[in-house]
Short mmCIF file of all heavy atoms in Angstrom, two decimals:
data_model
loop_
_atom_site.label_atom_id
_atom_site.label_comp_id
_atom_site.label_asym_id
_atom_site.label_seq_id
_atom_site.Cartn_x
_atom_site.Cartn_y
_atom_site.Cartn_z
N ILE M 157 5.96 -7.57 22.08
CA ILE M 157 6.55 -7.33 23.39
C ILE M 157 5.77 -8.15 24.42
O ILE M 157 4.75 -8.74 24.09
CB ILE M 157 6.47 -5.84 23.80
CG1 ILE M 157 4.99 -5.42 23.87
CG2 ILE M 157 7.25 -4.96 22.86
CD1 ILE M 157 4.75 -4.16 24.66
N ASN M 159 3.27 -8.04 26.71
CA ASN M 159 2.19 -7.12 27.07
C ASN M 159 1.79 -7.20 28.54
O ASN M 159 1.53 -6.19 29.17
CB ASN M 159 0.97 -7.39 26.20
CG ASN M 159 1.10 -6.76 24.83
OD1 ASN M 159 1.12 -5.53 24.72
ND2 ASN M 159 1.20 -7.57 23.80
N ALA M 160 1.72 -8.43 29.03
CA ALA M 160 1.30 -8.60 30.42
C ALA M 160 2.31 -7.92 31.35
O ALA M 160 1.95 -7.17 32.26
CB ALA M 160 1.19 -10.08 30.75
N ALA M 163 2.05 -4.08 31.18
CA ALA M 163 0.89 -3.57 31.91
C ALA M 163 1.16 -3.67 33.42
O ALA M 163 0.85 -2.76 34.20
CB ALA M 163 -0.35 -4.37 31.55
N LEU M 180 -9.19 0.40 34.95
CA LEU M 180 -8.60 -0.07 33.69
C LEU M 180 -9.53 0.28 32.54
O LEU M 180 -10.70 -0.11 32.55
CB LEU M 180 -8.40 -1.60 33.75
CG LEU M 180 -8.00 -2.27 32.44
CD1 LEU M 180 -6.60 -1.86 32.00
CD2 LEU M 180 -8.08 -3.79 32.57
N LEU M 188 -5.96 -10.21 21.70
CA LEU M 188 -5.00 -10.85 22.58
C LEU M 188 -4.32 -9.83 23.50
O LEU M 188 -4.19 -10.03 24.70
CB LEU M 188 -3.95 -11.58 21.75
CG LEU M 188 -2.83 -12.22 22.56
CD1 LEU M 188 -3.39 -13.32 23.44
CD2 LEU M 188 -1.75 -12.78 21.64
N TYR M 189 -3.88 -8.72 22.93
CA TYR M 189 -3.15 -7.76 23.74
C TYR M 189 -4.02 -7.24 24.87
O TYR M 189 -3.55 -6.97 25.97
CB TYR M 189 -2.60 -6.62 22.89
CG TYR M 189 -3.61 -5.57 22.48
CD1 TYR M 189 -3.88 -4.48 23.30
CD2 TYR M 189 -4.30 -5.67 21.28
CE1 TYR M 189 -4.80 -3.52 22.93
CE2 TYR M 189 -5.22 -4.73 20.90
CZ TYR M 189 -5.48 -3.65 21.72
OH TYR M 189 -6.40 -2.71 21.35
N ALA M 190 -5.31 -7.12 24.60
CA ALA M 190 -6.23 -6.64 25.63
C ALA M 190 -6.28 -7.63 26.80
O ALA M 190 -6.22 -7.26 27.97
CB ALA M 190 -7.63 -6.45 25.04
N ARG M 191 -6.35 -8.89 26.48
CA ARG M 191 -6.38 -9.91 27.54
C ARG M 191 -5.06 -9.94 28.29
O ARG M 191 -5.02 -10.01 29.52
CB ARG M 191 -6.67 -11.29 26.93
CG ARG M 191 -8.03 -11.37 26.23
CD ARG M 191 -8.45 -12.81 25.95
NE ARG M 191 -7.52 -13.51 25.06
CZ ARG M 191 -7.59 -13.48 23.72
NH1 ARG M 191 -8.54 -12.79 23.12
NH2 ARG M 191 -6.73 -14.16 22.99
N GLN M 192 -3.97 -9.84 27.53
CA GLN M 192 -2.66 -9.90 28.19
C GLN M 192 -2.45 -8.70 29.12
O GLN M 192 -1.94 -8.85 30.23
CB GLN M 192 -1.56 -9.94 27.13
CG GLN M 192 -1.56 -11.23 26.33
CD GLN M 192 -0.51 -11.20 25.22
OE1 GLN M 192 -0.20 -10.15 24.67
NE2 GLN M 192 0.02 -12.37 24.88
N ARG M 193 -2.85 -7.53 28.65
CA ARG M 193 -2.62 -6.35 29.47
C ARG M 193 -3.51 -6.38 30.70
O ARG M 193 -3.15 -5.94 31.78
CB ARG M 193 -2.85 -5.07 28.64
CG ARG M 193 -1.75 -4.92 27.58
CD ARG M 193 -1.89 -3.72 26.67
NE ARG M 193 -0.99 -3.88 25.51
CZ ARG M 193 -0.93 -3.07 24.46
NH1 ARG M 193 -1.72 -2.00 24.38
NH2 ARG M 193 -0.10 -3.31 23.47
N GLN M 194 -4.69 -6.94 30.53
CA GLN M 194 -5.57 -7.07 31.69
C GLN M 194 -4.95 -8.01 32.73
O GLN M 194 -5.01 -7.76 33.94
CB GLN M 194 -6.95 -7.56 31.27
CG GLN M 194 -7.92 -7.68 32.44
CD GLN M 194 -9.37 -7.48 32.03
OE1 GLN M 194 -9.67 -7.11 30.90
NE2 GLN M 194 -10.29 -7.71 32.96
N LEU M 195 -4.34 -9.08 32.25
CA LEU M 195 -3.67 -10.00 33.16
C LEU M 195 -2.61 -9.27 33.98
O LEU M 195 -2.50 -9.47 35.20
CB LEU M 195 -3.01 -11.14 32.39
CG LEU M 195 -3.94 -12.27 31.95
CD1 LEU M 195 -3.17 -13.33 31.18
CD2 LEU M 195 -4.61 -12.89 33.18
N GLY M 196 -1.84 -8.44 33.31
CA GLY M 196 -0.79 -7.70 34.00
C GLY M 196 -1.39 -6.77 35.05
O GLY M 196 -0.87 -6.66 36.17
N TYR M 197 -2.45 -6.13 34.68
CA TYR M 197 -3.17 -5.24 35.61
C TYR M 197 -3.62 -6.01 36.84
O TYR M 197 -3.38 -5.62 37.99
CB TYR M 197 -4.36 -4.64 34.85
CG TYR M 197 -5.44 -3.99 35.67
CD1 TYR M 197 -5.30 -2.68 36.14
CD2 TYR M 197 -6.64 -4.66 35.94
CE1 TYR M 197 -6.31 -2.06 36.86
CE2 TYR M 197 -7.65 -4.06 36.66
CZ TYR M 197 -7.49 -2.75 37.12
OH TYR M 197 -8.50 -2.15 37.82
N GLN M 198 -4.24 -7.15 36.59
CA GLN M 198 -4.75 -7.94 37.71
C GLN M 198 -3.63 -8.45 38.61
O GLN M 198 -3.73 -8.40 39.83
CB GLN M 198 -5.56 -9.12 37.17
CG GLN M 198 -6.83 -8.66 36.47
CD GLN M 198 -7.60 -9.78 35.80
OE1 GLN M 198 -7.10 -10.89 35.68
NE2 GLN M 198 -8.83 -9.48 35.39
N PHE M 242 -5.42 3.27 34.17
CA PHE M 242 -4.48 2.69 33.21
C PHE M 242 -5.28 2.38 31.95
O PHE M 242 -6.23 1.60 31.99
CB PHE M 242 -3.86 1.41 33.78
CG PHE M 242 -3.09 0.61 32.76
CD1 PHE M 242 -2.15 1.22 31.92
CD2 PHE M 242 -3.29 -0.76 32.62
CE1 PHE M 242 -1.45 0.49 30.97
CE2 PHE M 242 -2.59 -1.50 31.68
CZ PHE M 242 -1.66 -0.87 30.85
N VAL M 244 -5.24 1.04 27.97
CA VAL M 244 -4.38 0.16 27.18
C VAL M 244 -3.90 0.78 25.88
O VAL M 244 -3.19 0.13 25.10
CB VAL M 244 -5.06 -1.19 26.85
CG1 VAL M 244 -5.33 -1.98 28.13
CG2 VAL M 244 -6.30 -0.99 26.03
N SER M 245 -4.27 2.01 25.62
CA SER M 245 -3.66 2.70 24.49
C SER M 245 -3.67 4.20 24.75
O SER M 245 -4.53 4.71 25.46
CB SER M 245 -4.36 2.37 23.17
OG SER M 245 -5.31 3.36 22.86
N PHE M 272 -0.49 3.81 26.73
CA PHE M 272 0.30 2.70 26.19
C PHE M 272 0.58 2.98 24.72
O PHE M 272 -0.35 3.28 23.97
CB PHE M 272 -0.49 1.39 26.31
CG PHE M 272 0.35 0.15 26.41
CD1 PHE M 272 0.36 -0.61 27.58
CD2 PHE M 272 1.12 -0.27 25.34
CE1 PHE M 272 1.13 -1.77 27.67
CE2 PHE M 272 1.90 -1.42 25.42
CZ PHE M 272 1.90 -2.17 26.59
N ASP M 273 1.82 2.94 24.32
CA ASP M 273 2.27 3.03 22.93
C ASP M 273 3.25 4.17 22.67
O ASP M 273 4.01 4.12 21.71
CB ASP M 273 1.15 3.19 21.91
CG ASP M 273 0.32 1.94 21.74
OD1 ASP M 273 0.79 0.87 22.15
OD2 ASP M 273 -0.81 2.04 21.23
N GLN M 290 6.99 1.02 23.13
CA GLN M 290 7.40 -0.21 22.48
C GLN M 290 8.52 0.13 21.50
O GLN M 290 8.52 1.21 20.92
CB GLN M 290 6.23 -0.82 21.70
CG GLN M 290 4.98 -1.03 22.54
CD GLN M 290 3.96 -1.91 21.83
OE1 GLN M 290 4.33 -2.86 21.15
NE2 GLN M 290 2.69 -1.59 21.98
#
Side-chain angles (χ1 to χ4, degrees):
Chain M
I157 61 161
N159 280 293
L180 171 67
L188 176 64
Y189 78 87
R191 298 194 299 273
Q192 292 176 329
R193 291 178 195 175
Q194 181 152 352
L195 279 180
Y197 164 81
Q198 293 175 349
F242 169 49
V244 296
S245 96
F272 207 113
D273 289 343
Q290 306 193 38

